[in-house]
Amino acid sequence: MKKLFFLFLISFSFSTTVAQEQKPNVLVFYVDDLRAELGCYGSKTAITPNIDKLASDGVMFNRAYTQQAICAPSRMSTLTGLRPETMGIYSIFTPLRKIHKDVVSMPQLFNKNGYKTVSIGKVYHHSSDDKKEWSVYFGKEANTYNDPKNIAIIEQLKKEGKNPKGPAFDMADVADEAYKDGRASKYAIETLHKLKDDKFLMFVGLSKPHLPFNAPKKYWDMYNRNDFEVPSRNKPEGVYRLSLTKWGELKGYHGIPKDGDLDDELTRTLIHGYHASISYIDAQVGKVMQTLEDLDLRKTTTIIFMSDHGYKIGEYGAWCKHSNMEIDTRVPLIVSRETNYKKRKTGKTSKALVENVDIFPTLVDLCGLEGPEFDGKSILSIINKPNKKGDEYATSVYARGKKIMGVTATDGKWRYTEWRNAKTHEILQAELYEHKNSLLSYLNLSGNKKYKKIEQKMKKLLEKQFPRDKPFLQNDQPRKK
């Protein structure tokens, strides 16, 4: 009997060890301001061979959405599995831990479950959030300018006591590491060498193509600026007056006119810079992926490539994000499972509706952990079976100050948005756009009798997430001067 019991203990211990060993590593490329402007998503201009290769080695989601088209809340949502309306944080000025001390985050949970947790570059918007929960931490860096002319401009602005933010783009004939995303990939590669024998959750936060569009000259040289078309500056007919912004984020940079539309020449230059920045971060993805192969880690590492939100590069005569529009809320998402997983799917495109808030519960499911309650849900079954249906709808939110709340829902074809009084839920204006084959739509169909049934259907979907009798939680604090 003792012998049998001893054999049982050995067997149990072996099974437990095997189960632990089967838990994959996770590497997340978390990109800033990247819309689905990639070769694998059908872009006619973007040159992204490394990301395209990753897509061919995994599942690419065509209907992935962020929960808010602004950095801080969207990243908090990804890292907690909670929606902005659950946290009550809608601006970039409020850190997560200033309000929510007890919310369990992704680095917290993985840290407590024996994973080495790694944060490189921009992961949270606020570097102070969960800093102690990362085993290895390389904070986000300030933007680097390498063009002597731009450096001189910044120095002169400082002397004059003006905003030294600098120009909106920079290109110099320098190595990748001369700009911050090149350094981020360098840190990631060095860390992979150190942690190759450990279980790890690694976030590589790549800042480009966020403004300023600063990238080595060789990535600018990959493009012919005459290939870039200046998009229509027309705004959707019947658009709510606050649906789009005056893109103050771009206007804060030196050399950008404060009023009116940008001319075609400057528009082309910025579009060129956006693309150069994308090819720059594509090269960093390639370097890190090659390191995984060289260290024989790819077979045990699941890769996620994602963005915090979409972006406008002149569409609607607007720039940046900060809206509930399809072009700002739709994001690229690619998941490639560890190559040791025998049933992994490659070269597949999923039409399932998924959301960034689903990433945390998915990783909990993938790694066999016990997580907290989430607003999102695991999409692991879709990753394993890409033809499987996803959610019926996806939602996002965008507040215009304290008094107006914009809430939106999409079913993958139709986007319905309500702009409400944040206190009374009175609908100030509604918008209904069709997005069958495009990120853009130029006609608000809300109130059109021909689309009444569609609008009623979308309205019901929206109210499932944003009921009219539930107050909006608002934990944002005024910005301190």
Side-chain angles (χ1 to χ4, degrees):
M1 179 65 74
K2 289 183 178 180
K3 186 176 181 180
L4 288 172
F5 182 70
F6 180 71
L7 289 172
F8 169 77
L9 286 177
I10 293 176
S11 176
F12 177 80
S13 177
F14 177 77
S15 298
T16 302
T17 301
V18 170
Q20 289 175 341
E21 290 177 350
Q22 288 175 344
K23 291 181 179 180
N25 302 312
V26 178
L27 192 152
V28 181
F29 292 105
Y30 206 179
V31 187
D32 203 344
D33 282 11
L34 179 65
R35 65 191 197 178
E37 189 72 46
L38 304 164
C40 53
Y41 277 94
S43 172
K44 296 178 181 179
T45 48
I47 302 171
T48 53
N50 295 293
I51 301 169
D52 298 348
K53 182 180 178 182
L54 179 61
S56 70
D57 195 37
V59 179
M60 183 177 74
F61 288 88
N62 255 348
R63 294 175 178 173
Y65 293 92
T66 190
Q67 276 45 76
Q68 189 175 344
I70 189 172
C71 294
S74 67
R75 289 168 179 265
M76 291 179 199
S77 185
T78 296
L79 290 158
T80 64
L82 301 175
R83 298 177 183 275
E85 59 268 26
T86 297
M87 295 181 285
I89 298 176
Y90 311 101
S91 79
I92 61 171
F93 304 119
T94 305
L96 173 68
R97 295 305 178 188
K98 183 175 182 179
I99 304 297
H100 299 288
K101 310 295 184 184
D102 300 323
V103 166
V104 178
S105 68
M106 197 186 302
Q108 267 185 326
L109 184 71
F110 275 77
N111 198 359
K112 290 179 180 178
N113 280 274
Y115 276 73
K116 297 291 185 181
T117 54
V118 183
S119 176
I120 297 172
K122 185 175 179 179
V123 180
Y124 277 107
H125 179 78
H126 296 278
S127 299
S128 59
D129 280 336
D130 286 343
K131 187 174 180 179
K132 69 180 186 304
E133 301 296 344
W134 302 103
S135 311
V136 179
Y137 180 82
F138 292 89
K140 66 178 181 179
E141 300 183 14
N143 287 302
T144 302
Y145 286 85
N146 288 293
D147 184 331
K149 293 180 181 178
N150 287 340
I151 293 172
I153 289 172
I154 294 170
E155 290 303 314
Q156 184 61 35
L157 290 171
K158 288 180 180 178
K159 289 180 182 179
E160 296 174 1
K162 296 178 181 178
N163 176 17
K165 201 167 185 178
F169 57 92
D170 187 89
M171 58 176 139
D173 192 5
V174 293
D176 287 4
E177 291 77 13
Y179 293 101
K180 60 182 178 180
D181 282 334
R183 296 191 289 272
S185 67
K186 176 177 177 286
Y187 301 147
I189 290 167
E190 292 172 350
T191 303
L192 285 171
H193 278 273
K194 293 177 182 178
L195 299 183
K196 62 181 184 295
D197 297 321
D198 295 301
K199 286 294 176 194
F200 60 81
L201 166 73
M202 176 183 288
F203 272 77
V204 181
L206 297 170
S207 294
K208 300 300 114 180
H210 191 290
L211 282 164
F213 303 142
N214 295 0
K217 182 177 180 295
K218 62 183 177 182
Y219 298 106
W220 290 75
D221 290 345
M222 293 169 68
Y223 297 92
N224 180 346
R225 63 182 287 110
N226 293 324
D227 290 340
F228 298 116
E229 296 182 3
V230 174
S232 169
R233 297 184 179 92
N234 291 334
K235 293 174 174 54
E237 184 179 336
V239 68
Y240 178 54
R241 63 183 181 86
L242 297 178
S243 282
L244 298 167
T245 69
K246 296 180 180 179
W247 36 280
E249 180 182 6
L250 175 58
K251 291 177 181 177
Y253 286 87
H254 178 79
I256 303 298
K258 304 302 180 186
D259 300 303
D261 293 326
L262 302 187
D263 62 32
D264 287 359
E265 184 67 16
L266 182 53
T267 295
R268 271 200 184 86
T269 298
L270 293 175
I271 293 174
H272 189 177
Y274 188 80
H275 282 73
S277 298
I278 293 172
S279 291
Y280 173 47
I281 65 107
D282 176 81
Q284 310 319 307
V285 169
K287 293 177 189 177
V288 176
M289 291 298 297
Q290 186 59 53
T291 301
L292 287 176
E293 295 288 354
D294 294 344
L295 296 175
D296 201 26
L297 287 171
R298 185 64 182 93
K299 65 184 182 183
T300 56
T301 305
T302 286
I303 312 295
I304 296 177
F305 179 91
M306 64 185 295
S307 173
D308 54 357
H309 42 69
Y311 203 76
K312 295 181 293 296
I313 47 175
E315 293 86 2
Y316 300 139
W319 295 81
C320 309
K321 53 274 186 180
H322 311 115
S323 88
N324 277 326
M325 292 294 190
E326 179 84 1
I327 196 169
D328 290 336
T329 55
R330 186 184 164 204
V331 291
L333 175 64
I334 300 167
V335 183
S336 179
R337 288 206 60 170
E338 64 278 18
T339 57
N340 263 0
Y341 183 63
K342 295 180 180 179
K343 296 182 179 180
R344 67 192 297 265
K345 302 298 181 183
T346 60
K348 301 295 183 182
T349 298
S350 172
K351 296 181 181 179
L353 273 174
V354 297
E355 301 175 278
N356 280 2
V357 75
D358 297 330
I359 298 299
F360 190 1
T362 299
L363 292 180
V364 166
D365 192 7
L366 175 73
C367 298
L369 308 181
E370 185 177 340
E373 291 188 9
F374 299 113
D375 288 337
K377 62 186 69 173
S378 173
I379 60 170
L380 184 60
S381 62
I382 303 174
I383 295 167
N384 292 335
K385 294 181 179 180
N387 290 330
K388 187 175 179 180
K389 287 186 177 181
D391 289 337
E392 187 181 7
Y393 62 101
T395 63
S396 305
V397 63
Y398 208 100
R400 295 293 187 220
K402 296 290 184 181
K403 297 181 179 180
I404 299 175
M405 187 67 71
V407 291
T408 187
T410 178
D411 66 356
K413 178 181 177 181
W414 297 95
R415 175 165 295 283
Y416 176 71
T417 303
E418 288 182 353
W419 295 94
R420 300 180 185 177
N421 180 303
K423 290 185 177 180
T424 67
H425 281 279
E426 175 193 358
I427 299 174
L428 305 175
Q429 188 168 326
E431 297 173 287
L432 178 67
Y433 299 109
E434 184 177 12
H435 292 284
K436 187 176 181 180
N437 297 308
S438 175
L439 288 169
L440 302 172
S441 183
Y442 290 92
L443 180 61
N444 177 11
L445 297 169
S446 177
N448 187 314
K449 293 180 180 179
K450 182 179 177 181
Y451 300 95
K452 183 177 181 180
K453 289 185 178 179
I454 292 171
E455 183 165 8
Q456 288 176 338
K457 172 201 166 188
M458 295 304 301
K459 185 178 181 68
K460 288 180 180 178
L461 293 179
L462 181 71
E463 290 188 353
K464 285 183 180 181
Q465 181 60 34
F466 302 103
R468 302 285 299 282
D469 59 352
K470 183 180 179 181
F472 287 113
L473 183 63
Q474 296 201 30
N475 285 321
D476 274 307
Q477 302 298 316
R479 184 180 184 183
K480 292 183 179 180
K481 295 183 180 179

